[in-house]
Amino acid sequence: MLLVHEEYQSSFDVAMRCAVECEHCAEACMGMSEMMQCARSCLDCAEICRTVATYMVRGSRYIPHLARACAEICEACAKECEKHNAEHCKKCAKACRDSVEEYRKIASVTAV
């Protein structure tokens, strides 16, 4: 029998990978005035991904609700990063797209 948090292990991994890539992208973009929107989007995305990962660890009943918000924020971050040719932006956009797919699956589950 899986513990509640174990049900979300692969989703947790996706969320944390996105958070890490977003943090890396934000760090690389900071200090460049033309990349400030990218850095801000990445920081917002990293924060929400860490938050949903924490909810997953606890097996919170609010995960589907939070996943909907996460999908929206990750989608916006991916779109921002896709405007740029930097390798870190490409990696971030990919991690965000993977997260969007995962979060949409979770969000489709009816919350208790």
Side-chain angles (χ1 to χ4, degrees):
M1 179 172 124
L2 287 177
L3 297 174
V4 175
H5 73 277
E6 291 173 325
E7 291 178 42
Y8 290 103
Q9 185 62 55
S10 64
S11 299
F12 173 88
D13 293 343
V14 169
M16 291 308 295
R17 186 172 140 271
C18 188
V20 167
E21 291 300 338
C22 285
E23 288 288 347
H24 287 232
C25 191
E27 180 65 27
C29 291
M30 283 186 191
M32 295 184 280
S33 60
E34 70 278 6
M35 298 297 280
M36 287 310 295
Q37 184 58 44
C38 188
R40 286 185 183 114
S41 292
C42 289
L43 291 173
D44 287 346
C45 191
E47 187 68 29
I48 197 72
C49 285
R50 280 192 300 273
T51 299
V52 77
T54 301
Y55 276 59
M56 289 174 188
V57 169
R58 290 195 302 255
S60 173
R61 67 184 184 150
Y62 300 109
I63 294 167
H65 301 292
L66 189 55
R68 280 189 271 293
C70 287
E72 184 178 327
I73 292 167
C74 286
E75 179 76 28
C77 187
K79 285 180 180 179
E80 179 61 35
C81 284
E82 287 166 348
K83 294 177 184 177
H84 311 289
N85 288 322
E87 189 60 33
H88 55 87
C89 288
K90 290 177 185 177
K91 287 175 72 175
C92 185
K94 168 78 168 91
C96 287
R97 293 279 175 212
D98 292 346
S99 292
V100 168
E101 185 177 322
E102 192 70 22
Y103 294 146
R104 286 186 177 151
K105 285 185 221 172
I106 294 168
S108 69
V109 174
T110 305
V112 183

